[in-house]
Amino acid sequence: MEVGKKEPRDTTEQDYNRKDLSAPQGNNSHNATRVWLDSLEHVLEFLLKNRDSGEAPLLMEQLIERLRDSGLNIRQPVSTSYINTIPVEKEPPYPGDREIERRIKSYIRWNAMAMVVKANRIHHGIGGHISTFASCATLYEVGFNHFFRGSDDNKLGDLIYFQGHASPGNYSRAYVEWRIEAKRLHHFRQELAEVPGLPSYPHPYLMPEFWQFPSVSMGLAPIMSIYQARFLRYLKARGLVQDEEPRVWCFAGDGEMDEPESTGSLSLAARENLDNLIWVVNCNLQRLDGPVRGNGKIIQELEAIFRGAGWNVIKVIWGSDWDPLLRSEHRDLLIKRMEEAVDGDYQKYSVEPGSYTRKHFFGKYPELLELVNHLTDDQIHKLLRGGHDPQKVYTAYKTAVEHKGSPTVILAKTVKGYGMGEAGEGRNITHQQKQLNEKELREFRTRFDIPLKDEEVVETPFYRPPQDSPETKYLLERRKSLGGFVPKRRVKSQPLEIPPQDFFDEFLKDSGQLEASTTMSFVRLLAKLLRHPAIGKRVVPIIPDEARTFGMDALFRQVGIYSPKGQLYEPVDRETLLYYQEAKDGQILEEGITEAGSMCSFIAAGTSYANLGFPMIPFYIFYSMFGFQRVGDLIWAAADSKAKGFLLGATAGRTTLAGEGLQHQDGQSHILASAVPTLLTYDPAFAYEIAVIVRDGMRRMYQNGEEIYYYLTLYNENYAMPAMPEGAEEGVLKGLYKFRRGNGRSKHKAQIFGSGPILREALRAQEILAEKYDISADVWSATSYKLLRGEALQAKRWNMLHPTETPKKSYVESLLEKEAGAFVAVSDYMKIVPDQIAPWVPGGLLSLGTDGFGRSDTRPRLRRYFGVDAEMTVLATLYALHQKGAVPAQTVARAIKDLGVDAEKAAPFFL
Ligand SMILES: Cc1ncc(C[n+]2csc(CCOP(=O)(O)OP(=O)(O)O)c2C)c(N)n1
Ligand SMILES: [Mg+2]
């Protein structure tokens, strides 16, 4: 041991008892610490004594606030007092003309209400909502007059997700903006009327010049808005857009926050510092049936969730009328009372007269009762909630747009059905209220000063101030200075030039000895597209943590994984060629395990051609089982959004994905996909089919401007890829073509349709049938039953409606009419997939498929179990021929034995 150095020793119990471990620095600072600790002890003593007074949390909050104000990095508490986040002293002056804005807002309120009332008067039960917009009118109007930026002058406008069922408010504003005419308001929810009406909700598909984002399926708009904001950053990081960054706003309901999609991706928004994103949650404390959190406080609960996730939270709870009360000497007691009351109480206060609130809210404490002595009952009833006070809302929005480093959520307290009075204000029935009687209409008119006479009110006419009125001038000037009207959807982008045919040629050739799966073939094509000098930068590969499963890890190095932070660590596989490379300008969106998030990225990229004026080509590749049945509603929203791009369901097929079992093996996505009208679905078997489909898809979507998108299933079975047969292209795209003829010499004929890797079972069946049963079977590749059916339905409909004219023949009919023998279809999907075309197959179609739950086992065993292997295909062909009288029953019975099929095994359909 060195001389002069003290030997270290363990801390002893006496040390702890001496309580001086916290001040090792020396006597002076030791004493100072002692004093601080003592004073904190006093505070603690005080708090413990006043445990029930509600002062403890307040004091703690004030302390934390002070510490933060003084620049210390203090963690935010997850919840704060039930008061506005921004104190009154920090409110900026209101920049607009409050009076004129109030009048405009009132007219918009009136028309929004009137359009629902009128529609339901004429068509009872047509529906619509009054109370939601009534609660968020101020939240919208402050935005329209001061914040929402339009996209005129070729700028990128703000991207705004409006609360879906508040759509009457948007239509009504468009009307007072002189953008749409009264006749369209008259036809709200009557889109099939002669005068085209207005869609119930924000549907870009149905009103493509107006709506940008579908938002009424609860929870989808919130999650889509996160990935939209993120996609803007992605484009910027990759140097693809240089304009001033638009903001993404999302208006959502408090009930809507219960959807897992609403809150499921909050942490991504915070992690990636999306300060271009602002959510406004309209906390009217009610959902459809009743209170959102009657026994609690939705605003407090949401605050904790958002803060916990790292968001900037701004609570707008109380209107300016409360400011003097909150400035009084009884401030703390008032806050305590505000915190005691639950949302169910607050709902009651909005329904009952002021006397009730005086007695039950303020009356609980004599000091508070006295505090409101100077107010009449009516004044108490009208004490505004923050979300109805333009000053408070403006303050919150201004703070939100100036906030840096994280997304902001504004939790605005409102009253559902505000202004509807007895017809529904704050009542549980308000969500469904579609009618107001004469008295209620008159009260509404009076409350909002609508210039209509008593006798006019009965008719509930729409009202808009004349074009040269101060109100119209004001609101038009406001919109002009903010860059134009919103919402507005416009396709500004130019068509893309698609790579020429020879770019794809390598995929049309025979692969020789080389075996590959359709997944590998697709990945090779994607890698090549990424390298294309013009198109490459527009390709957006999206993967939910499955790149290695699909053999896409080579792309990590080729184009990098997008991360706003770049790569702050050395990846463990750095010395390998294909290491996990994250980069600020990475091109891959590696989303982690979130199919919902990935789908939102797909939508953001797929709508970029319209919403950002810059076409991008997303390729979203996922486990086919976790596509349609997992995020089917987002796939539906993609169609409504007019998204373009390619969805790739990989590891497809109930039997091709061997081993994975019931929860993974997909035999149904093609049937679920068949329900989406603008989705083109394909089940390709070979590399050339994929190349033909992808090329044509790019041509149709990005060159011809068709607003469609694609779903392709990809499999992981390896085999040699054949060359494309002469002239097959048309059939590949239309859904069916002859791949290999039978020998033509045999006694009987048959036609077998195969899809995906199961086409190879059909080819094996072809051989067995020729060798053992003297049957010449032609084998067809059926790439899309959905498309065949769609085209056949068109022809059928035309024929039905034009009975005296020469009937039209569908593609599938003209293709099959000259073919002889029995028709059998086999695929790795449910029988109902090929059955889609059965009505047009001469003599009917016998379909084999994979109905039932999957099992973990080998491919041959699974294919036998579901009855989609070559042997079962042979059997089915024989049976189909027998039914036509061509083959005796004994031949079929013998074949069952010869082919080793167990006829008594239970059918797997319901097992
Ligand atoms: C996924 C989904 N489920 C159910 C509905 C039906 N629905 C429409 S509005 C609504 C209540 C919405 O409550 P909230 O989000 O609080 O909105 P508010 O009208 O109160 O502003 C429901 C259940 C829907 N549109 N979407
Ligand atoms: Mg609500």
Side-chain angles (χ1 to χ4, degrees), residues 499-527:
Q501 180 58 55
D502 61 0
F503 178 89
F504 296 89
D505 278 352
E506 68 177 277
F507 299 94
L508 310 187
K509 293 186 187 134
D510 192 333
S511 73
Q513 295 299 308
L514 212 68
E515 294 200 337
S517 65
T518 46
T519 306
M520 285 158 71
S521 309
F522 163 76
V523 173
R524 204 155 54 83
L525 173 62
L526 181 64

Coordinates of all heavy atoms in Angstrom, one line a residue, residues 499-527:
P499 N -39.4 3.0 -66.7 CA -38.3 2.4 -67.4 C -38.8 1.6 -68.6 O -39.8 0.9 -68.5 CB -37.6 1.4 -66.4 CG -38.1 2.0 -65.0 CD -39.4 2.7 -65.3
P500 N -38.0 1.6 -69.7 CA -38.4 0.9 -70.9 C -38.4 -0.7 -70.7 O -37.9 -1.2 -69.8 CB -37.4 1.3 -71.9 CG -36.2 1.6 -71.1 CD -36.7 2.1 -69.8
Q501 N -39.0 -1.3 -71.7 CA -39.2 -2.8 -71.6 C -37.9 -3.5 -71.3 O -37.8 -4.4 -70.5 CB -39.8 -3.2 -72.9 CG -40.0 -4.7 -73.0 CD -41.0 -5.2 -71.9 OE1 -42.1 -4.7 -71.7 NE2 -40.5 -6.2 -71.1
D502 N -36.8 -3.1 -72.0 CA -35.6 -3.9 -71.9 C -35.0 -3.8 -70.4 O -34.3 -4.7 -70.0 CB -34.5 -3.4 -72.9 CG -34.1 -2.0 -72.8 OD1 -34.7 -1.3 -71.8 OD2 -33.3 -1.5 -73.5
F503 N -35.4 -2.9 -69.7 CA -35.0 -2.8 -68.3 C -35.5 -4.1 -67.5 O -34.9 -4.6 -66.6 CB -35.6 -1.5 -67.6 CG -35.3 -1.4 -66.2 CD1 -34.2 -0.7 -65.7 CD2 -36.2 -1.9 -65.2 CE1 -33.9 -0.6 -64.4 CE2 -35.9 -1.7 -63.9 CZ -34.8 -1.1 -63.4
F504 N -36.6 -4.6 -68.0 CA -37.3 -5.7 -67.3 C -36.9 -7.1 -67.9 O -37.3 -8.1 -67.4 CB -38.8 -5.5 -67.3 CG -39.3 -4.3 -66.5 CD1 -39.4 -3.1 -67.1 CD2 -39.6 -4.4 -65.2 CE1 -39.8 -2.0 -66.4 CE2 -40.0 -3.3 -64.5 CZ -40.1 -2.1 -65.1
D505 N -36.2 -7.0 -69.1 CA -36.0 -8.2 -69.9 C -35.4 -9.4 -69.1 O -35.8 -10.5 -69.3 CB -35.2 -7.9 -71.1 CG -36.1 -7.3 -72.2 OD1 -37.3 -7.3 -72.1 OD2 -35.5 -6.8 -73.3
E506 N -34.4 -9.0 -68.3 CA -33.7 -10.1 -67.6 C -34.7 -11.0 -66.7 O -34.4 -12.2 -66.5 CB -32.6 -9.6 -66.7 CG -33.1 -8.8 -65.5 CD -32.0 -8.3 -64.6 OE1 -31.6 -9.2 -63.7 OE2 -31.5 -7.2 -64.7
F507 N -35.8 -10.4 -66.4 CA -36.8 -11.2 -65.6 C -37.7 -12.1 -66.4 O -38.5 -12.9 -65.9 CB -37.6 -10.3 -64.7 CG -36.8 -9.5 -63.8 CD1 -36.4 -8.2 -64.1 CD2 -36.4 -10.0 -62.5 CE1 -35.6 -7.5 -63.2 CE2 -35.6 -9.3 -61.7 CZ -35.2 -8.0 -62.0
L508 N -37.7 -11.9 -67.7 CA -38.5 -12.6 -68.6 C -37.9 -13.9 -69.1 O -38.5 -14.7 -69.8 CB -39.0 -11.7 -69.8 CG -39.5 -10.3 -69.5 CD1 -40.0 -9.7 -70.7 CD2 -40.6 -10.4 -68.4
K509 N -36.6 -14.1 -68.7 CA -35.8 -15.2 -69.3 C -35.9 -16.4 -68.4 O -36.1 -16.3 -67.2 CB -34.4 -14.8 -69.5 CG -34.2 -13.7 -70.5 CD -32.7 -13.5 -70.7 CE -32.5 -12.3 -71.7 NZ -31.5 -11.3 -71.2
D510 N -35.6 -17.5 -69.0 CA -35.4 -18.8 -68.2 C -34.3 -18.7 -67.3 O -33.2 -18.2 -67.6 CB -35.1 -19.9 -69.3 CG -35.3 -21.3 -68.7 OD1 -35.1 -21.4 -67.5 OD2 -35.5 -22.2 -69.5
S511 N -34.5 -19.1 -66.0 CA -33.4 -19.0 -65.0 C -32.4 -20.2 -65.1 O -31.5 -20.3 -64.3 CB -34.0 -18.8 -63.6 OG -34.5 -20.0 -63.2
G512 N -32.7 -21.1 -66.0 CA -31.8 -22.3 -66.1 C -31.9 -23.1 -64.9 O -32.9 -23.4 -64.3
Q513 N -30.7 -23.5 -64.4 CA -30.6 -24.3 -63.2 C -30.9 -23.5 -62.0 O -31.2 -24.1 -60.9 CB -29.2 -24.9 -63.1 CG -28.8 -25.8 -64.2 CD -29.7 -27.1 -64.2 OE1 -29.9 -27.7 -63.2 NE2 -30.2 -27.4 -65.4
L514 N -30.8 -22.2 -62.1 CA -30.9 -21.4 -60.9 C -32.4 -21.4 -60.3 O -33.3 -21.1 -61.0 CB -30.6 -19.9 -61.3 CG -29.9 -19.1 -60.2 CD1 -28.5 -19.7 -59.9 CD2 -29.8 -17.7 -60.7
E515 N -32.5 -21.7 -59.1 CA -33.8 -21.7 -58.5 C -34.0 -20.5 -57.7 O -33.1 -19.9 -57.0 CB -33.9 -22.9 -57.6 CG -33.9 -24.2 -58.3 CD -34.5 -25.4 -57.6 OE1 -34.6 -25.3 -56.3 OE2 -34.9 -26.4 -58.2
A516 N -35.2 -20.0 -57.7 CA -35.5 -18.8 -56.9 C -37.0 -18.8 -56.5 O -37.8 -19.5 -57.1 CB -35.3 -17.5 -57.7
S517 N -37.3 -18.1 -55.4 CA -38.7 -18.0 -55.1 C -39.3 -16.7 -55.7 O -38.5 -15.9 -56.2 CB -38.9 -17.9 -53.6 OG -38.3 -16.7 -53.1
T518 N -40.6 -16.5 -55.7 CA -41.1 -15.3 -56.3 C -40.7 -14.1 -55.4 O -40.6 -13.0 -55.9 CB -42.6 -15.4 -56.4 OG1 -43.2 -15.9 -55.3 CG2 -43.0 -16.2 -57.7
T519 N -40.5 -14.4 -54.1 CA -40.1 -13.3 -53.2 C -38.7 -12.8 -53.6 O -38.5 -11.6 -53.8 CB -40.1 -13.8 -51.7 OG1 -41.3 -14.3 -51.4 CG2 -39.7 -12.6 -50.8
M520 N -37.8 -13.8 -53.8 CA -36.4 -13.4 -54.2 C -36.4 -12.7 -55.6 O -35.7 -11.7 -55.8 CB -35.5 -14.7 -54.4 CG -35.1 -15.2 -53.0 SD -34.7 -17.0 -53.2 CE -33.1 -16.8 -54.1
S521 N -37.3 -13.2 -56.5 CA -37.3 -12.5 -57.8 C -37.8 -11.1 -57.7 O -37.3 -10.2 -58.3 CB -38.3 -13.3 -58.7 OG -38.0 -14.6 -58.7
F522 N -38.8 -10.9 -56.8 CA -39.3 -9.5 -56.6 C -38.2 -8.7 -56.0 O -38.0 -7.5 -56.4 CB -40.5 -9.5 -55.7 CG -40.8 -8.2 -55.1 CD1 -41.4 -7.2 -55.9 CD2 -40.5 -7.8 -53.8 CE1 -41.6 -5.9 -55.5 CE2 -40.6 -6.6 -53.3 CZ -41.2 -5.6 -54.2
V523 N -37.5 -9.2 -55.0 CA -36.5 -8.4 -54.3 C -35.4 -8.0 -55.3 O -34.9 -6.9 -55.3 CB -35.9 -9.1 -53.1 CG1 -34.7 -8.4 -52.5 CG2 -37.0 -9.3 -52.0
R524 N -35.1 -8.9 -56.2 CA -34.1 -8.6 -57.2 C -34.6 -7.4 -58.1 O -33.9 -6.5 -58.5 CB -33.8 -9.8 -58.1 CG -32.5 -9.9 -58.8 CD -32.0 -11.3 -59.1 NE -33.0 -12.1 -59.8 CZ -33.2 -12.1 -61.1 NH1 -32.4 -11.3 -61.9 NH2 -34.1 -12.8 -61.7
L525 N -35.9 -7.5 -58.5 CA -36.5 -6.4 -59.3 C -36.5 -5.1 -58.5 O -36.1 -4.1 -59.1 CB -37.9 -6.8 -59.7 CG -38.7 -5.8 -60.4 CD1 -38.1 -5.4 -61.7 CD2 -40.2 -6.3 -60.6
L526 N -36.8 -5.2 -57.2 CA -36.8 -4.0 -56.4 C -35.5 -3.3 -56.4 O -35.3 -2.1 -56.5 CB -37.4 -4.3 -55.0 CG -37.5 -3.1 -54.0 CD1 -38.5 -2.1 -54.5 CD2 -37.9 -3.6 -52.6
A527 N -34.4 -4.2 -56.1 CA -33.1 -3.7 -56.0 C -32.7 -3.0 -57.4 O -32.0 -1.9 -57.4 CB -32.1 -4.8 -55.7

